[in-house]
Amino acid sequence: MDESKSFEHTLAVRAATGTALVAVMLGLLYLGGWWWHVYAAFVALGSLWEFYRMSPSLPKADRFVGLVAAVVVLFSSEQVSQTGLMAIFGLCCFAVYFMELARRQLTAGSHSIASVGPVITGLVYAVIPWYCMIRFRALPDPVGWATVLSIFLCTWSCDVMAYLVGSRWGTVRVCPHISPHKSLEGFIGGFVASTLCGALCALFFKFSPMAFILVGAACGSAGQLGDLVESLIKRENDVKDSGHIFPGHGGFLDRFDSVLVNTLCAWMIWWAFLL
């Protein structure tokens, strides 16, 4: 297969996979309830597993502690308050220390600080954003699905425009040692597109325009940085993709890297406007 046909095949696979992912996600988002809850939890757990797998020095027992904590957070999200979250994270931290204490006693070797860091970071990075997604969707409609949908629409518009502008006019490289193809022109194009998308969402949903515009601006800036963060994690661990579950797209973190930080930003913005 020559280079041009290989590129066309890769593009076709990416397009087909992306279309299927978007269709499934939008359908479950519309249904809401446990449909969305299980979907979000599945993606969160898959993302957490990929994050732990990219930390090769993290013992399997400590990974298990993090995964158990994630299940508790995700499947009791509508009952767990922010105070409850802190308690779960604190217990998770101590559970890892207890595991390492036992390891030290049995093998004369332990890695407590080096293990607690990745376990807790993985929960914050990969699980808490999807916890927020579940809480968002639990709000009464149309607020519930509109807030989540706007996050994805702003993220997608940013990604598409950043790619188009960067491919056509990109000359100034912003992070050549992390992602060589990211350009300042693409960053600006993505930011403008996402902010405009936020404004259009406000017009369509007839909600507070300022909240949606701020969400769009956050997705257009923090989201692109979130994409770079995942690239940084992969480069530090010398991996090309976080996983291989989605043909042409990689893993959960490859597919939803920007959404993670965008959801947290949207949570803070909507928390301020819904007080």
Side-chain angles (χ1 to χ4, degrees):
M1 183 181 293
D2 59 37
E3 187 175 343
S4 62
K5 289 184 178 179
S6 177
F7 174 77
E8 291 176 359
H9 174 74
T10 302
L11 189 62
V13 170
R14 283 182 59 86
T17 304
T19 301
L21 286 173
V22 170
V24 170
M25 192 214 73
L26 290 179
L28 296 177
L29 175 60
Y30 177 78
L31 290 174
W34 274 98
W35 293 98
W36 177 254
H37 197 141
V38 171
Y39 170 82
F42 175 73
V43 175
L45 291 172
S47 301
L48 182 63
W49 174 252
E50 290 178 352
F51 183 89
Y52 287 164
R53 193 175 57 181
M54 289 193 293
S55 304
S57 62
L58 186 63
K60 291 182 178 180
D62 296 336
R63 298 183 192 186
F64 178 74
V65 171
L67 289 168
V68 170
V71 170
V72 172
V73 168
L74 291 166
F75 285 100
S76 59
S77 59
E78 295 180 15
Q79 290 78 37
V80 175
S81 64
Q82 280 73 16
T83 303
L85 273 181
M86 290 190 291
I88 292 171
F89 274 47
L91 288 172
C92 179
C93 176
F94 276 104
V96 174
Y97 277 123
F98 296 157
M99 297 287 288
E100 292 302 312
L101 188 151
R103 189 189 311 280
R104 184 81 175 187
Q105 182 64 29
L106 295 173
T107 66
S110 60
H111 309 279
S112 59
I113 295 178
S115 295
V116 168
V119 169
I120 300 300
T121 300
L123 290 170
V124 174
Y125 178 69
V127 175
I128 293 302
W130 289 100
Y131 162 88
C132 293
M133 282 280 196
I134 295 171
R135 294 292 296 269
F136 266 141
R137 188 60 188 90
L139 295 172
D141 286 334
V143 177
W145 63 268
T147 51
V148 178
L149 182 60
S150 65
I151 295 170
F152 282 100
L153 291 177
C154 290
T155 301
W156 293 336
S157 64
C158 175
D159 290 345
V160 170
M161 191 56 66
Y163 173 77
L164 294 176
V165 173
S167 299
R168 178 65 179 85
W169 294 288
T171 56
V172 181
R173 303 302 168 189
V174 292
C175 289
H177 297 296
I178 299 175
S179 185
H181 300 296
K182 298 290 186 183
S183 68
L184 179 61
E185 294 84 356
F187 187 95
I188 294 172
F191 175 81
V192 172
S194 181
T195 305
L196 179 60
C197 181
L200 292 175
C201 286
L203 183 65
F204 180 80
F205 295 123
K206 296 180 175 60
F207 291 162
S208 169
M210 184 55 65
F212 276 107
I213 291 172
L214 288 175
V215 168
C219 292
S221 51
Q224 297 191 68
L225 295 176
D227 181 45
L228 289 172
V229 166
E230 203 240 348
S231 297
L232 174 65
I233 294 171
K234 291 190 294 185
R235 285 192 176 275
E236 288 182 348
N237 291 279
D238 196 28
V239 296
K240 183 180 183 296
D241 295 315
S242 65
H244 306 284
I245 191 170
F246 303 124
H249 289 267
F252 289 103
L253 291 176
D254 296 314
R255 182 65 271 174
F256 296 104
D257 49 4
S258 299
V259 170
L260 299 176
V261 65
N262 288 346
T263 301
L264 296 178
C265 290
W267 180 269
M268 295 301 296
I269 291 168
W270 278 106
W271 175 78
F273 275 84
L274 293 175
L275 281 178

